[in-house]
Amino acid sequence: MERYDPQAIEAKWQRIWREQRAFEVPNPEPDELERHAQKTYVLEMLPYPSGDLHMGHVRNYMLGEVVAHFRRRHGYAVMRPMGFDAFGLPAENAAIKEGGHPRDVTERNIAAIRRQMERMGWAIDWSRVLSSHEPSYYHWTQWLFVRFFERGLAYRREAPVKWCPNDQTVLANEQVVDGRCERCGAEVEARNLEQWFFKITDYADALLDEMSLLEEWPERVLTMQRNWIGRSEGADVVFEVADLGEHIEVFTTRPDTLFGATFFVLAPEHPLVSRLVEGSEHESAVLDYARHTAARTTVEREEKEKDGVFTGRYATNPVNGERIPIWVADYVLMEYGTGAIMAVPAHDERDYAFAERYGIEIRQVVAPADGSAVDGAFVAHTENEVLVNSGEFSGMPAPEGKRAIVESLAGRGAARAAIRYRLRDWLLSRQRYWGCPIPVVHCDGCGIVPVPDEELPVLLPEVDEYLPKGRSPLAAAEDWVATTCPRCAGPARRETDTMDTFVDSSWYFIRYADAQNDREPFSRAVADYWLPVNQYIGGIEHAILHLLYARFFVKVMHDLGLVGFREPFARLFTQGMLYRDGAKMSKSKGNTISPDEYVERYGADAARMYLLFIGPVDQDAEWQDSGFEGIVRFLHRLWRIAMEQAVKPEVDPLPDTALARKAHQTIAKVTDDIGRRFALNTPIAAVMELVNEIQRAPEDPAARFATETAVTLIQPYASHVAEELWERLGHERLWEEPWPEADPALLAVETVEIPVQVNGKIRDRLHVSPDTPEEELVALARASERVQSYLDGGEVSRTIVVPGKLVSFVT
RNA sequence: GCCGGAGUGGCGGAACUGGCAGACGCGCGGGACUCAAAAUCCCGUGUCCUCCGGGACGUGUGGGUUCGACCCCCACCUCCGGCACCA
């Protein structure tokens, strides 16, 4: 018998699919876009070409692979594109290390990845491929930036920013993890720099509220985004500094504790600090403290014990006119709220620690419902609190007290309800070479002027040296930097910072819909036809960064009238990560396994199946070599059985045999698992069961049918061998073959095994027709000797019958 | 601390809506084929007891609801992930 030869089979079918453009989906003609068509957009997060693909990627792309095949065979026009997130630091760092240009490094990696993807035989529409470093793409990234700029949603300002001393560039807040650079792990520093921001904070509420438009997103991703946006409701309260005729606002989520404010704290960076102490005996101590704080890293600032200095000034608490001391302490952060707080040591742990250290009064103003109060202690938040020691508000339940105090102060203009967010504006500029140039010029006369649309794209210039030096390497391209102002034609200088790569990946999924368009980023009609993405697939590591930015971009594009949808990804599936030796498989950890050697030895089909068989796709999995063997054995067995069955004639009509029934049950199971449950490991087990049964009963008259069923069901997983066997079984074009349907008549079982319980324990099993009436079931169960021995003549107080499921006696 | 997820044989995992726990695969034991091996095929494989009929126990721990719980409820333990001097 001819042996299973994956190398030959896979090469053959990959060639056929390519020649026949099997997986390309052209856009409908413009006048047909309106017509509702059965279409679906399946998208996996685009790879970052910092090296070859490893098994973690294979697992990720296999999800989209199975879904795409499954939906195509259900009659959908399936768009499943692929592209490359090509700009960014790893390529630039690699180029610096190895010598050469980041473009060459990137394009070499892209070519290698594409080759690997083609070798896996994935059903990708390569006619839509894009790469974010190509001018044909970043032209429109720049065009979008200009639209954002015109709307005031991209702006430049000096701000305290996070600086990575290793990568020599600023980072977005989202790219700082535990005070360290997300990419290289270096501890970040605080700097005050003029930088570009996207005004994502304008969309904080929309990003929260419109989560309701997301049909099926994992709860934990939504939670992570909610935490990141960090919406807090409370009040802004005004404290007067009578001596100076100044007033300072604070934000608090606990206006009900205002009567317990016994001191007041300003962040060392607060602009009023120097005025408060100017010329006073406290001046040098306070300014020294502020300087020390500035020299500390955020991490140091968090880890040391709380400390601070008194300013000699007092603020007036608006609820009771009390004068409370103003301190400067670095546990108050300028970035959040107003950079100033009212401190309530009895009800805030941080304030408590500070008050303890400096001997400041601790006054309890909220108490459990019984009103018991103990001054001097920290009282944690509990249910059903009431206000105490709070003047006219004493005795009120805390929530009511909150409202009443704010209302009362609001009457005098001393407070108003307020909402604050943890979310900061998105810092998008980077002082690096390998990124999309920011398309503006700086003119002495006109200020910042965007490059006119007709002059886009602003091409990334060639430079000799892209080693990071703290300013963008583009600044060295003097001929490029020197330009003329589009507005006044006077001399001007180009912006030399480049964009964060997350900007590139915030709209690529729309570009795929209309990837060749050279007049606009995409046609709105085409975009609205394909999007939102029906099924987005990617790693949980992008739960905040990419997924939040992309949602923001789409909302802005909607408000600009560029698209008709407000959320980019209707359904999101986050696959688990692949681990090896206890660590996430990644290039930086050096624990990757390349699919190449496995593909070479066992074929792509085995690798494709194994990565899904290893476990549920939404959970993390540990790479183990041992299980791979089982898949290889299965494919050989399938091959042998199919070759045996192929010589038999087809039988029609299908005889009602055990194998015929098993085949139809398998159709039902696989269809439900993939289509409804998104369980991609269990269908493989189901087809294995079917194949095992064929092996046990090769002479069953339905054996050939069962074999064809196994082949057609395994096609989304092992596309090549399935196609080859399908052909040898006398058919063609399995990738277009309608998905099989289970015949309800054959799904119905002739007999069921019904357990009989006595006091909750199974004592016997009945083999009966599934529609046996209840009375008969009970009679049969009672007649059982085994059951009788357990009933032991005792009274049956209760009998439970679940038709088709079980009989249960209680004595 | 707050929020989210998970805990099932030697291992990866299955059990979908409260109704036969351990499908499928790996590993392991036994057998067939073979001069032998590989490959392949067959049988067995949760733990303990057993007069070999079967019995008891068993899904992180302790309780509860129920005729019946891996599944629901309460409390706890462990692990993973997110957020956190955020006022």
Side-chain angles (χ1 to χ4, degrees), chain A residues 83-151:
Chain A
F84 301 94
D85 189 13
F87 274 136
L89 276 181
E92 189 171 330
N93 288 340
I96 291 164
K97 206 166 137 198
E98 298 160 21
H101 195 282
R103 181 179 297 112
D104 299 335
V105 172
T106 302
E107 292 183 349
R108 200 163 59 229
N109 286 338
I110 288 174
I113 292 174
R114 176 148 178 187
R115 212 163 33 240
Q116 285 180 302
M117 288 181 159
E118 288 175 343
R119 182 62 191 84
M120 293 307 299
W122 287 330
I124 289 165
D125 180 352
W126 286 108
S127 72
R128 296 169 186 271
V129 68
L130 59 83
S131 196
S132 59
H133 76 296
E134 289 166 351
S136 58
Y137 181 81
Y138 73 69
H139 180 164
W140 305 111
T141 308
Q142 293 178 339
W143 186 91
L144 285 167
F145 178 90
V146 173
R147 302 286 88 76
F148 278 51
F149 178 82
E150 289 165 349
R151 274 232 159 185

Side-chain angles (χ1 to χ4, degrees), chain A residues 81 105 113 152 201 251 274 340 378-379 387 445 589 694 749 755 764:
Chain A
V105 172
I113 292 174
T201 51
F251 172 70
S274 51
F378 171 72
V379 182
L387 271 53
K589 301 234 172 57
I694 300 169
V749 281
D764 202 2

Side-chain angles (χ1 to χ4, degrees), chain A residues 565-585:
Chain A
F565 46 92
R566 285 194 65 81
E567 285 287 347
F569 316 119
R571 286 154 168 259
L572 170 70
F573 190 89
T574 48
Q575 99 276 13
M577 290 189 282
L578 193 58
Y579 281 72
R580 189 190 172 207
D581 307 327
K584 184 198 165 191
M585 195 178 281

Side-chain angles (χ1 to χ4, degrees), chain A residues 512-533:
Chain A
Y512 281 140
D514 200 8
Q516 316 300 336
N517 197 328
D518 55 8
R519 301 173 315 281
E520 52 186 347
F522 46 80
S523 133
R524 172 165 172 171
V526 173
D528 286 352
Y529 170 77
W530 282 113
L531 283 99
V533 173

Side-chain angles (χ1 to χ4, degrees), chain A residues 754 756 764 766 768 772-788 791 796 799-801 806-809:
Chain A
I754 293 190
V756 182
D764 202 2
L766 304 174
V768 295
T772 310
E774 280 193 30
E775 311 79 65
E776 198 181 327
L777 280 176
V778 174
L780 284 168
R782 273 187 171 273
S784 152
E785 275 180 37
R786 293 184 34 76
V787 170
Q788 291 202 344
L791 287 176
V796 172
T799 304
I800 294 116
V801 182
L806 100 167
V807 178
S808 180
F809 296 114

Side-chain angles (χ1 to χ4, degrees), chain A residues 66 69-75 666-672 674-675 683 687 709-717 734-742:
Chain A
V66 170
H69 276 303
F70 185 78
R71 295 210 178 149
R72 174 177 302 101
R73 292 184 56 195
H74 274 88
T666 308
I667 292 170
K669 160 122 183 107
V670 171
T671 306
D672 188 56
I674 301 176
V687 174
T709 301
V711 168
T712 191
L713 291 178
I714 209 65
Q715 180 270 345
Y717 295 83
L734 180 55
W735 73 87
E736 288 174 350
E737 181 73 16
W739 191 256
E741 278 185 46

Side-chain angles (χ1 to χ4, degrees), chain A residues 400-514:
Chain A
E400 194 188 328
K402 258 182 203 175
R403 273 193 301 277
I405 290 177
V406 174
E407 255 171 51
S408 146
L409 291 179
R412 298 187 267 128
R416 62 178 179 278
I419 294 166
R420 299 274 170 178
Y421 302 90
R422 205 192 82 94
L423 183 70
R424 302 269 76 93
D425 275 343
W426 171 10
L427 200 174
L428 73 107
S429 44
R430 296 290 180 275
Q431 291 70 53
R432 296 290 299 233
Y433 173 73
W434 191 231
C436 175
I438 295 173
V440 302
V441 302
H442 299 268
C443 167
D444 284 343
C446 311
I448 295 172
V449 181
V451 173
D453 288 354
E454 57 277 14
E455 290 175 29
L456 296 179
V458 175
L459 292 173
L460 188 61
E462 298 301 318
V463 301
D464 299 330
E465 179 86 83
Y466 23 78
L467 210 64
K469 288 184 185 132
R471 63 166 195 168
S472 174
L474 296 192
E478 273 303 326
D479 291 350
W480 179 83
V481 173
T483 184
T484 52
C485 171
R487 195 167 294 160
C488 71
R493 298 180 64 77
R494 289 194 188 278
E495 170 65 55
T496 58
D497 283 358
T498 53
M499 294 187 209
D500 181 3
T501 50
F502 280 103
V503 181
D504 308 324
S505 56
S506 289
W507 73 282
Y508 77 101
F509 42 88
I510 314 181
R511 178 70 182 174
Y512 281 140
D514 200 8

